[in-house]
């Protein structure tokens, strides 16, 4: 009987040793965190073309207040405001910078008008002649 107890104790010790594996259990390794999202590319100006659009907003501003077109290009004005505007060239009271802007002239709510061809490389200032003192209704067309 001593022999059978010895075998039983030996089997129990072997079972215990097999369960513990001689080391403590390890915790499950969490999956690696995803890489950070890439940063958005820096804002680039819109490409220069033969046309650009300026909207007279419901807030009584030009949006955008500056556009760039190639020589020979035109700028379209859209009046989304609830009042009429009179788009004219700078400088105030002389209106001689860019005669092509006169093609827009008086523009009613909901109306769309376009400048004549801007045939000289230069910067053309413009404003609403009816609201000359409103800085939000002054802008620039860069002709390249």
């Amino acid at each position: 009987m001593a022999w059978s107890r010895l075998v039983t104790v030996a089997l129990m010790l072997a079972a215990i040793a097999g369960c513990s594996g001689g080391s403590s259990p390890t915790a499950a390794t969490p999956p690696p965190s995803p890489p950070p999202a890439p940063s958005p590319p820096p804002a680039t100006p819109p490409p220069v073309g033969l046309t650009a659009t300026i909207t007279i907003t419901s807030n009584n501003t030009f949006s955008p207040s500056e556009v760039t077109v190639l020589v020979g290009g035109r700028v379209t004005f859209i009046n989304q405001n609830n009042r009429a505007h009179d788009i004219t060239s700078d400088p105030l009271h002389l209106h001689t910078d860019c005669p092509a802007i006169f093609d827009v002239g008086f523009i009613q709510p909901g109306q769309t008008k376009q400048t004549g061809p801007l045939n000289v490389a230069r910067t053309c200032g413009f404003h609403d002649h009816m609201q000359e003192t409103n800085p939000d209704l002054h802008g620039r067309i860069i002709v390249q």
Side-chain angles (χ1 to χ4, degrees):
M1 198 72 138
W3 178 252
S4 68
R5 268 193 200 166
L6 187 58
V7 170
T8 302
V9 170
L11 288 174
M12 288 175 62
L13 287 175
I16 292 172
C19 288
S20 68
S23 65
S24 61
T26 58
T29 304
S33 56
S39 299
T44 56
V48 175
L50 287 175
T51 61
T53 302
I54 296 172
T55 301
I56 306 167
T57 70
S58 59
N59 293 331
N60 208 38
T61 63
F62 289 133
S63 179
S65 61
E66 182 177 292
V67 295
T68 302
V69 295
L70 295 173
V71 170
R74 296 174 184 256
V75 176
T76 301
F77 284 78
I78 302 170
N79 187 357
Q80 293 181 347
N81 194 249
N82 61 0
R83 64 192 320 173
H85 295 271
D86 186 13
I87 308 305
T88 190
S89 177
D90 282 353
L92 293 177
H93 308 292
L94 295 177
H95 313 291
T96 55
D97 275 0
C98 293
I101 295 173
F102 289 119
D103 286 8
V104 177
F106 197 72
I107 185 169
Q108 293 285 349
Q111 194 173 21
T112 297
K113 286 191 165 183
Q114 196 171 55
T115 66
L118 297 154
N119 292 324
V120 178
R122 65 175 137 185
T123 298
C124 299
F126 65 91
H127 62 277
D128 179 356
H129 187 67
M130 296 167 62
Q131 297 182 55
E132 294 177 337
T133 60
N134 181 346
D136 292 331
L137 291 173
H138 285 255
R140 295 181 349 152
I141 300 169
I142 301 168
V143 184
Q144 296 180 338

